[in-house]
Structures are given as C-alpha cells and as structure tokens.
Amino acid sequence: MDPCPFVRIVIGSLALKFSAESKPPPTATFDCKIKLKGFLTQSTTIPAFIQEKDAILDSRIHACFNFSKSELVKLVDKSNSRGKPCSLKIEIYGDNMGFGCFNGGKLLGSVLVPLDLKSLENIGHRGVVIKNGWVSVGGSSSTAELNLNVRAEPDPRFVFQFDGQPECSPQVFQVNGKNKQPVFTCKFSFRNSGDRNLRSRSSLSEPSTSTSCFSSDKETPVKERKGWSITVHDLSGSPVAAASMVTPFVPSQGSDRVSKSNPGSWLILRPGDNTWKPWGRLEAWRESNGELGYRFEIIPDGATDAITLVNSTISTKKGGKISIDIVNGATPLTSPNSSFDLSSGSGSGSDFGSQPGSGSWAHLLYRGFVMSSTVGGDGKCSKPEVEVGVQHVSCAEDAAAFVALAAAMDLSMDACRSFSQKLRKELRQQDQELW
C-alpha cells in the first residue's frame, strides 16, 4: 500500500536587516512568532544585520506546519466559505531595543504570506517556493526588512492504526484514506517477576507469561508496576519489534506519583542476529502539574551514548500526541516515490545497524518529520494512530519499531497513573496484582 500524502510548509532563513539610521543597539534581540490559523503558534529567535552585505543567511528551518490531504481540503473549504485567503503571519518582536515604543519586547512589525492552499493539494514531487527574499516589515515606525524562505514540500507518511488498546493485544492496520489492511499484530504480556531486566542481547523469544483482556478483578496493593511487554509480529507471525518495561514505575517517596527524578523506562527492541537489540529508550514520569512527561532516546548500535530525539509533556486529562519532528539545523528529507510493501514482511533491517558507531549519524538519519502517535487521556480507551515519515521506513522492522514505541508511550499513561487509583484489569498480573 502506498503512503498517505502530506504537505509540509517550511519557514526558514529568517533574518532582519536595518538601515544605518535605524540600527538597534548591539544588545537588542529579536524573536518571531509564526502563526497559522488552526495550528499552535511557533516561536524562534532570529539574527539582525545593518547592511545586506553583512548578512550571513543560513538554511536553518525556524518552523513548519504539516497537513494531511483531508486537512488541506477542509482548510480550502473554510477559506472559500469565508471569502478570505489563508495567510501565514510572522510577527517580529524586539527586546532591549533602547529606543521608541519597541523597548521591552514590543511588536516591531509583521509580515503576511498568503497561501494558495488549492494548489498545494496536488503539489509536485519537488515542492514549490511560496516566498523567498527580503520583504518590508509592516509597522508605522519600522524600516526593517525580513528575509524569509517559505516553501511547501511533499511529506508522504505511512499511517498505522491500532484496532484496540495495546494491552488487549490488538491488530495494527496500515491506513490510506478509506482503505486499510492488517500489517502487524501485537501481543501484550508480563515477564516473570524474577526477570527484572531484559538483557539487551537476550535470545529472540516471546515473554514467558501472557495475559488476556479477561483477567481477575482481585487486587493486592503493591506499589510497583513492572514487567509489562509488548511484542509486534508481522503477518507471518515473526517478531519484528518489541517494547519491554526495564525500569519499574514506582511512586516517589511520600507521594502516589512517578517523579521525574526516578522515571520508569522501556527499551524499544529490534531483531538482529537472532537476538533482541536495543534501538531506543523511552522514559516517562508524572510532572508536578499532573502532565505526563516523557523522553525518547535513540541508542546507536555500537555507540556509548544515547541521543535524545524528543523531551516533552502530554496532558493526562485530554491526552495528546508524541511527535518527533526535528526542525532546527536540518532540511527535511522527502522520498515521495517510496512504496515499500509493509505487508510483505520483507527486509531484515540489518542496514540500520551498519552505520558508524559514533552516534553522530543519528542526527543526520533522523531529521525532518520522523513520527507521531496519539496518546489517550488518563483512564480513557485509546487506539493509537501512528504516522511515520517514509524516509524512515525501508523495511517492516523500521515501521514496527515505531509501532512498538507508540504502544509503550500509550501504556506509560497508565503506568504513571496515581498509585491511589486502580489500574484496568488487563494491566494487572494474576499472580501479583498491580496497582
């Protein structure tokens, strides 16, 4: 099945230019707020120059907005019904300006960039440049100019959908519009209580003690959540990825919540040489404001240090989305012609581990949009939907690793629930009931 079409609007190369008469003091700093209706505002700091010959313009990406095809269609319909074109708005703020009304982080001016959304529905493989070069910063007292590069790029993604909660051992479908086909199955299980740590190169086998969605309601107050595991299989039944809880989720001293100082953690594992090899580590905890905090690190094969790809929070009440989207310092990669057949189960994934052992390659391999997955709110039924950029999928094991990460992230919402609350029966062992 082919990937789903997505469009990515990229804003980069932002810089300010002033005339010699209106130059700001050397201590001045400038920030931009980049707005698009219906999306969260994005912020960035930009450099300033006095003359154009002094400008050193880089290709750094400052912000980006992502659209699925259905989202684009809705925006086009809204724009047509209102009779107003959709525009990208860039507001520039100056701090420590030392003159006029701009002192104290006041609005210096703004730039509007109209977006022809209709043309973006059928964007070509190479994308289009929407705006490039210097433009005047609107404002009654402003003589500044802003350099910008706004372009739209195709950013196709594979979309996967769990047909049930991860702890109920669901199927996982690949989705494209109204079409969907099964590509993976998940098996949730508990490891033996004595097996507290899964070795990074243990034999490739199933966890020893499994449960179903019909376990006992009996519960003994044990303030520790441990041993959860989920294995992802292809349609032939071969395990292609796994997520294993390697650090128990326990409450901090004197409280009923998992703290950031002592988070629980998962290893995301991939098969190789008939063993499980660690690919990534997910840590999760409960913030003091009640949000779910998380950090995901890639573990390069042969390297000594892990590389953090995302460190953020999600609302425990409403849920949210884990998103790995590496913007700054890199140009997003696109491979619009990719049509890898995930259902075939082909590909060993061995090329993934053949990179240099320094780990520096990970910043090059993982850039642009990497993946996102929905996470249900505390105590709510959740069926994660996972998006993975096609440039990060060359075999079934690549996609399965992200599916395992999505399952671990969703299960972490339950693992980090207050220990004064009872877990669903699917998440409690029969021989040692868990809170």
Side-chain angles (χ1 to χ4, degrees), residues 22-92:
S22 62
K23 66 178 181 179
T27 57
T29 57
F30 300 93
D31 299 307
C32 282
K33 289 184 178 180
I34 304 168
K35 301 179 178 181
L36 185 60
K37 191 175 181 63
F39 291 83
L40 292 175
T41 297
Q42 300 182 43
S43 300
T44 185
T45 299
I46 61 173
F49 307 94
I50 305 306
Q51 301 180 46
E52 189 168 343
K53 66 181 181 65
D54 298 325
I56 302 175
L57 303 176
D58 58 31
S59 59
R60 183 164 75 97
I61 297 171
H62 294 266
C64 61
F65 299 92
N66 302 296
F67 303 84
S68 66
K69 186 172 183 179
S70 60
E71 288 171 335
L72 268 177
V73 170
K74 289 179 182 179
L75 282 173
V76 169
D77 291 342
K78 284 184 179 180
S79 179
N80 291 339
S81 63
R82 293 172 181 172
K84 295 182 179 180
C86 183
S87 295
L88 185 74
K89 186 175 185 179
I90 304 174
E91 297 176 345
I92 301 98

Side-chain angles (χ1 to χ4, degrees), residues 338-361:
S338 174
S339 58
F340 177 74
D341 186 3
L342 288 162
S343 61
S344 70
S346 61
S348 65
S350 58
D351 288 343
F352 184 93
S354 63
Q355 304 292 338
S358 65
S360 60
W361 60 268

Side-chain angles (χ1 to χ4, degrees), residues 118-279:
K118 189 68 177 177
S119 66
L120 298 184
E121 288 187 67
N122 299 302
I123 190 171
H125 289 172
R126 294 185 178 181
V128 295
V129 175
I130 298 172
K131 190 75 176 179
N132 185 50
W134 295 95
V135 294
S136 176
V137 174
S140 58
S141 303
S142 173
T143 58
E145 290 183 277
L146 178 72
N147 185 79
L148 76 166
N149 178 281
V150 180
R151 62 188 185 274
E153 300 176 343
D155 192 28
R157 303 172 188 180
F158 291 111
V159 179
F160 305 97
Q161 198 168 65
F162 287 65
D163 74 344
Q165 300 173 99
E167 62 268 28
C168 290
S169 300
Q171 275 193 309
V172 178
F173 292 86
Q174 186 187 345
V175 180
N176 192 337
K178 295 181 179 179
N179 300 317
K180 67 178 185 178
Q181 64 182 35
V183 288
F184 301 120
T185 59
C186 295
K187 182 180 180 182
F188 178 78
S189 59
F190 295 102
R191 296 196 314 278
N192 285 337
S193 58
D195 182 17
R196 290 178 177 272
N197 294 291
L198 182 68
R199 297 191 200 124
S200 63
R201 297 187 182 271
S202 60
S203 62
L204 195 60
S205 60
E206 293 295 334
S208 57
T209 306
S210 64
T211 63
S212 69
C213 289
F214 303 99
S215 55
S216 170
D217 278 324
K218 184 181 178 182
E219 186 166 33
T220 303
V222 178
K223 291 201 171 184
E224 185 178 55
R225 293 163 185 160
K226 63 182 181 182
W228 300 1
S229 179
I230 191 158
T231 308
V232 182
H233 301 81
D234 62 20
L235 295 184
S236 71
S238 300
V240 285
S244 181
M245 187 186 286
V246 291
T247 304
F249 286 71
V250 297
S252 59
Q253 188 173 5
S255 79
D256 279 325
R257 65 179 177 85
V258 181
S259 68
K260 186 176 183 179
S261 61
N262 188 29
S265 70
W266 302 76
L267 274 184
I268 311 301
L269 303 153
R270 292 170 55 108
D273 301 326
N274 202 35
T275 66
W276 283 119
K277 293 185 177 182
W279 170 71

Side-chain angles (χ1 to χ4, degrees), residues 8 153-156 330-336 364-369 390-392:
R8 186 175 177 88
E153 300 176 343
D155 192 28
T331 301
L333 302 173
T334 54
S335 304
L364 299 176
L365 183 61
Y366 293 99
R367 55 179 177 171
F369 175 81
V390 295
Q391 66 268 29
H392 303 296

